[in-house]
Amino acid sequence: MTATAAARATAEALDAADPLASFRDRFVLPDPGLVYLDGNSLGRLPRSTAARLAAVVEQQWGDRLIRSWTEGWLDLPARVGDLIGTALLGAGPGQTVVSDSTTVNLYKLAAAALDARPGRRVVVTDRDNFPTDRYVLEGIVAARGLELRWIEADTVDGPQPADVAAVLDDDVALVSLSHVAYRSAAIADLPAITALAHDAGALVLWDLCHSGGSVPVDLDAGGADLAVGCTYKYLNGGPGAPAYLYVAHALQRELRSPIQGWWAQDDMFAMQRPFTPLPDARRFLTGTAPVLGLVAAEEGVRLLAEAGLDGLRAKSMALTAYAIELIDAWLVPFGFGLGSPRAAARRGSHVTVTHPGAAPLCDALVAAGVIPDFRPPDGIRLGLAALTTRFTDVHDGIAALRDLADSPAGGRRP
Ligand SMILES: *Cc1c(COP(=O)(O)O)cnc(C)c1O
């Protein structure tokens, strides 16, 4: 056997031994040749979702019409939220709801947290946080005449507890960070950072977009206050599926949403009374629930719940470890760098490689049937979703990148 064939045989053997391998068949896979390494940006379509959506549209909307609200639709935000919370986030029931986008939820929870810390003037985040997080926080501090205090963390390892401790004081109202960094996949130490912030009297708001469904979050055990995350990445909820938000039991009565919508109202159909928000996380709902997006999200989450978070995490760590092995062997000689933590326990489910020619290399990869993400300035992000990515996909994707780098137009020759 040639070295090339032996390497592919190793990947095939890993697929054959993968206890989650059969889940891939539960997804729509029209192009068997496609190497999709972007399940962390838009997860694949579960087969059950198309049938469920058709049934909801034809029977619930088409036939039952408005009766469907009391026949199940009204409960969707809390029901899907509880499924996400209990199956994936380590959150007991009544603390997670599905509503709006991550961006809007971030705004609602950040504003509520600031209202709960009157007199404190500082919001802390890090320079490498996801753009929408930075923009929302910048907007909130500008509107309120507050200050945004930036953490300058290592771009690979992400913000450490010591980085957070260095900027905390008794003027800090809120610390808002991503649990898994969207570029490097570094996992932040949620319990340690939360404890530091609490010691300083501040609240913490976590963005779970790149951790929900791929790494354990353990919100309740970690003492978390607030969190948001989206359902269209690892949760396979589909484009524009609504996001989730978490508010810990202990804070629910203290916090009020800046958007007082009727879906947050205790007994919403009483209609006449003044605004009295529900006593649980539903007080952060706004208006009419996006039913189709919610049922699609529910189907995606059900698959993850069936696979179980332990199995998902084990497969994800094996996939990213295998990717790093191939990156070291095949890409580093062509001038690539590893833009993700080496220790499996420190990284989520994607791996970023850096290269000065990352942008054109990404375009060439897509043309070759391999879909990663380009992340400026020089990152190629390989998202490895435990339910749908095979070890052979990792092999074929990184081999394609090596072959491109080895072509005359590609990277440096070894
Ligand atoms: C994808 C992502 C978002 C997206 O927010 P939307 O409101 O859904 O567009 C926010 N934060 C992080 C960290 C993300 O990765």
Side-chain angles (χ1 to χ4, degrees):
M1 203 166 11
T2 65
T4 308
R8 187 113 198 335
T10 302
E12 287 165 6
L14 289 166
D15 281 336
D18 168 16
L20 296 185
S22 67
F23 275 94
R24 191 175 149 87
D25 302 331
R26 313 268 295 271
F27 289 82
V28 174
L29 305 163
D31 177 0
L34 181 73
V35 176
Y36 190 62
L37 303 179
D38 222 350
N40 58 328
S41 254
L42 179 64
R44 281 187 179 271
L45 168 62
R47 286 178 186 275
S48 60
T49 303
R52 175 93 188 276
L53 283 174
V56 170
V57 168
E58 285 161 21
Q59 292 155 28
Q60 297 182 1
W61 178 14
D63 180 28
R64 297 304 296 164
L65 285 163
I66 198 156
R67 291 165 288 188
S68 290
W69 283 112
T70 46
E71 290 169 3
W73 289 353
L74 280 172
D75 301 330
L76 277 168
R79 186 174 87 212
V80 182
D82 278 344
L83 179 63
I84 294 170
T86 54
L88 305 177
L89 307 181
Q95 301 176 103
T96 312
V97 293
V98 178
S99 156
D100 305 305
S101 65
T102 298
T103 301
V104 171
N105 288 337
L106 197 83
Y107 174 83
K108 291 187 294 189
L109 295 189
L114 292 175
D115 288 340
R117 291 290 178 275
R120 290 180 174 237
R121 302 186 27 78
V122 176
V123 176
V124 168
T125 191
D126 76 295
R127 287 258 182 230
D128 246 6
N129 204 350
F130 191 82
T132 211
D133 301 57
R134 290 184 278 111
Y135 303 155
V136 164
L137 297 173
E138 283 170 337
I140 289 182
V141 300
R144 292 170 178 243
L146 305 179
E147 176 200 331
L148 200 53
R149 194 173 284 170
W150 296 99
I151 295 171
E152 315 272 353
D154 183 275
T155 54
V156 173
D157 288 332
Q160 304 297 309
D163 298 322
V164 178
V167 296
L168 284 173
D169 59 30
D170 60 11
D171 217 11
V172 176
L174 176 68
V175 176
S176 184
L177 299 171
S178 288
H179 182 231
V180 168
Y182 78 102
R183 255 201 289 248
S184 78
I187 301 176
D189 189 337
L190 182 148
I193 290 172
T194 302
L196 284 168
H198 287 176
D199 285 348
L203 293 167
V204 186
L205 168 51
W206 291 99
D207 186 329
L208 308 179
C209 280
H210 282 278
S211 41
S214 65
V215 305
V217 185
D218 291 331
L219 288 173
D220 288 349
D225 302 313
L226 305 163
V228 295
C230 61
T231 61
Y232 53 79
K233 293 175 179 165
Y234 291 113
L235 274 48
N236 304 309
Y244 55 88
L245 65 86
Y246 162 95
V247 181
H249 277 305
L251 285 170
Q252 288 173 352
R253 283 168 190 278
E254 184 188 347
L255 296 192
R256 285 177 77 102
S257 174
I259 302 173
Q260 299 192 161
W262 70 310
W263 276 61
Q265 169 77 343
D266 190 22
D267 194 3
M268 64 191 280
F269 292 110
M271 301 283 185
Q272 302 289 330
R273 304 177 315 160
F275 183 67
T276 316
L278 286 156
D280 53 46
R282 288 175 298 166
R283 63 173 43 207
F284 281 92
L285 296 178
T286 54
T288 303
V291 170
L292 300 180
L294 270 157
V295 298
E298 187 173 40
E299 288 303 318
V301 178
R302 277 182 181 160
L303 281 176
L304 294 166
E306 185 184 331
L309 192 55
D310 291 347
L312 292 168
R313 176 64 174 151
K315 166 109 181 258
S316 152
M317 291 206 292
L319 283 169
T320 54
Y322 178 58
I324 290 174
E325 199 183 305
L326 298 184
I327 289 163
D328 284 340
W330 293 348
L331 299 185
V332 170
F334 287 101
F336 287 83
L338 179 63
S340 295
R342 267 189 187 277
R346 292 274 306 115
R347 63 171 187 265
S349 205
H350 61 271
V351 175
T352 292
V353 289
T354 56
H355 189 280
L361 280 168
C362 255
D363 292 343
L365 267 182
V366 173
V370 177
I371 302 189
D373 250 330
F374 171 59
R375 281 295 170 262
D378 61 354
I380 300 175
R381 193 178 68 175
L382 312 173
L384 312 176
L387 291 189
T388 53
T389 308
R390 295 167 300 189
F391 291 90
T392 41
D393 293 321
V394 175
H395 171 281
D396 295 353
I398 295 174
L401 191 48
R402 173 199 60 197
D403 294 347
L404 286 169
D406 196 16
S407 69
R412 253 190 357 241
R413 302 191 68 88

